[in-house]
Amino acid sequence: MILATKSSTPIIGQLATVMGWIMDGIYRLLNVFGIQNVGLCIIIFSILIYALMTPLQIKQQKFSKLSAIMQPELQKIQKKYKGKNDQASMQKMQEETQAVYQKYGVSPTGSCVQLAIQFPILMALYQVIYKIPAYVGSVKDILASAVTNITGVNGYTEILQQFITDNKMARVQLVMDGSNATSNSVTDFLYALSPSQWKTLAETSQFSGFADTLNSTAKEISHVQNFFGLNIADQPLTYIKAAFVGGSILIAIVAILIPILAWATQMINLKLMPSAAQQGGDAQQDAMMNSMKTMNMVMPLMSAVFCFTFPVGLGIYWVASAAVRSVQQLIINKHMNKIQIEDLISENMKKMEKKREKAGLPPQKITNQAHQSVKNINKIEKGSSNTDAQTRAKKVEESYKNASNAKPGSITAKANMVKAFDERNKKK
């Protein structure tokens, strides 16, 4: 259902209103250059919004990069306390887990915070694209005269409801205010009409007195909604069906491209996204990774299927946003590859020091505690009872020497960088 009425959801509604102003500003700016095209507005709007979200994406991927290094240590803690459900063990497990996060200067909720910020932005963005007349005043103004004339006809609600039924407009529903449909829902109804449906509406006997207004409005809104021969309020499936009964085959091919591009661009975007290194031996993690892989295959396919029956405008948004995210991801990946793990940890530590200063905590107090706790976690716990401390210490030292020649980019090499960073901190 399309609703011209704006979203009333807290935060999302306010964000959508602001985004609507931006979208309307883009439309007005294009109009200055003689361009009136909602499809082009959607593309520019998507580029602008996702560009503004780049800092949030970088922060989330910094967390992901550190998370990949932290996973072996976190898994070691989980194995250490596996099957221990008493309160003391659970508390120690929590303390040691927190110590690992403190060692790397991150918060356990770091990723959740970034997602919590991005989610309402994305939902608001979807609201604006899905409800163009509600947020883009310039488009709503085009339909204003037709809405005024229609709502002035006695029994217009029943007439429009019958029209919706006859034309099988399942996605459009009139919103009632008492016994009559609201003017906003009439705006939605008109925005969802195809050129042929506009013609049929103008021929409705009850609206014959202002048929010229309906025809002129249809001409103007169709021009605004046209995108490479497609009406963005129409469904790709409509053009495909029309091709079988004498419609344009070329237009049907363009319509088919929308779902195909929606699938292809989202697949490219997923391929470019960095994935955490999978650690073997954990059945639960393996199951989660397999579930994620399946979801990454299914979601783009679902988008393609939905695009056949959703308005072309929504398909344009999906294609444009996935393409923008892919370019954005390429840039972020290059940026992240230049960042050393130890520099990232150092940056996080400085931020934690500032937070401690604001909280009135002494410098290094929490960090030193974290380093000591991690040492306790990583100490060798296995070995026969008659193996003395010196022998075990020698084995540990030999292991470190062997690890120093680890392959660049491997988990061991990254762990060495963290170890070196810790040792430098001890000397300060």
Side-chain angles (χ1 to χ4, degrees), residues 42-43 45-51 57 122 125 129 258-273 299-300 303-304 307 313-331:
I42 291 172
I43 294 173
F45 181 68
S46 299
I47 294 172
L48 181 60
I49 296 299
Y50 279 98
Q57 295 284 352
L122 294 175
L125 178 61
I129 300 300
I258 298 293
I260 292 175
L261 288 174
W263 169 81
T265 51
Q266 290 191 51
M267 284 298 297
I268 292 171
N269 183 239
L270 289 170
K271 293 292 184 183
L272 290 171
M273 289 291 292
M299 291 303 290
S303 296
C307 273
L314 196 58
I316 292 171
Y317 160 66
W318 279 344
V319 173
S321 61
V324 172
R325 291 198 307 272
S326 296
V327 174
Q328 182 189 53
Q329 195 60 55
L330 280 170
I331 297 171

Side-chain angles (χ1 to χ4, degrees), residues 230 235-249 251-257 259 307-309:
L230 303 176
Q235 306 166 2
L237 191 60
T238 301
Y239 293 99
I240 296 169
K241 288 180 178 178
F244 288 99
V245 291
S248 173
I249 296 177
I251 295 297
I253 292 173
V254 175
I256 292 173
L257 283 175
C307 273
F308 278 102
T309 55

Side-chain angles (χ1 to χ4, degrees), residues 37-198:
N37 193 283
V38 176
L40 183 58
C41 279
I42 291 172
I43 294 173
I44 296 174
F45 181 68
S46 299
I47 294 172
L48 181 60
I49 296 299
Y50 279 98
L52 293 174
M53 290 174 61
T54 300
L56 291 175
Q57 295 284 352
I58 292 175
K59 283 185 179 181
Q60 184 167 349
Q61 291 190 30
K62 282 182 177 179
F63 180 88
S64 297
K65 189 168 185 174
L66 280 176
S67 181
I69 309 300
M70 292 160 52
Q71 279 308 307
E73 295 183 43
L74 294 174
Q75 288 176 4
K76 187 179 290 185
I77 296 171
Q78 292 172 357
K79 287 182 179 179
K80 179 180 176 182
Y81 291 98
K82 187 176 182 180
K84 298 179 181 179
N85 299 320
D86 58 284
Q87 187 175 356
S89 296
M90 295 294 288
Q91 186 174 352
K92 287 181 180 179
M93 178 180 175
Q94 186 177 1
E95 288 174 356
E96 293 179 7
T97 300
Q98 183 65 33
V100 174
Y101 281 102
Q102 288 178 349
K103 176 183 177 181
Y104 292 92
V106 297
S107 168
T109 59
S111 180
C112 297
V113 170
Q114 304 306 324
L115 291 174
I117 295 173
Q118 291 182 57
F119 180 74
I121 294 175
L122 294 175
M123 289 300 295
L125 178 61
Y126 181 82
Q127 289 288 322
V128 174
I129 300 300
Y130 199 58
K131 306 174 182 179
I132 293 288
Y135 295 98
V136 185
S138 300
V139 174
K140 187 175 181 179
D141 291 344
I142 296 172
L143 304 169
S145 295
V147 172
T148 300
N149 281 288
I150 289 173
T151 54
V153 174
N154 187 34
Y156 73 88
T157 301
E158 290 75 15
I159 298 170
L160 295 183
Q161 190 59 64
Q162 188 61 50
F163 188 96
I164 291 170
T165 302
D166 293 343
N167 289 270
K168 299 179 181 179
M169 299 173 68
R171 292 185 55 257
V172 179
Q173 182 178 338
L174 297 177
V175 178
M176 306 300 292
D177 181 11
S179 59
N180 291 320
T182 64
S183 59
N184 277 337
S185 66
V186 176
T187 301
D188 292 328
F189 163 77
L190 294 177
Y191 184 79
L193 294 175
S194 67
S196 61
Q197 289 170 339
W198 271 104

Side-chain angles (χ1 to χ4, degrees), residues 193-259:
L193 294 175
S194 67
S196 61
Q197 289 170 339
W198 271 104
K199 183 179 179 181
T200 304
L201 185 70
E203 293 172 351
T204 302
S205 59
Q206 293 93 332
F207 301 153
S208 59
F210 49 90
D212 290 344
T213 300
L214 293 177
N215 287 325
S216 62
T217 302
K219 184 177 180 180
E220 187 174 0
I221 197 67
S222 295
H223 170 71
V224 168
Q225 291 176 326
N226 183 66
F227 189 81
F228 289 100
L230 303 176
N231 186 298
I232 65 171
D234 268 348
Q235 306 166 2
L237 191 60
T238 301
Y239 293 99
I240 296 169
K241 288 180 178 178
F244 288 99
V245 291
S248 173
I249 296 177
L250 181 60
I251 295 297
I253 292 173
V254 175
I256 292 173
L257 283 175
I258 298 293

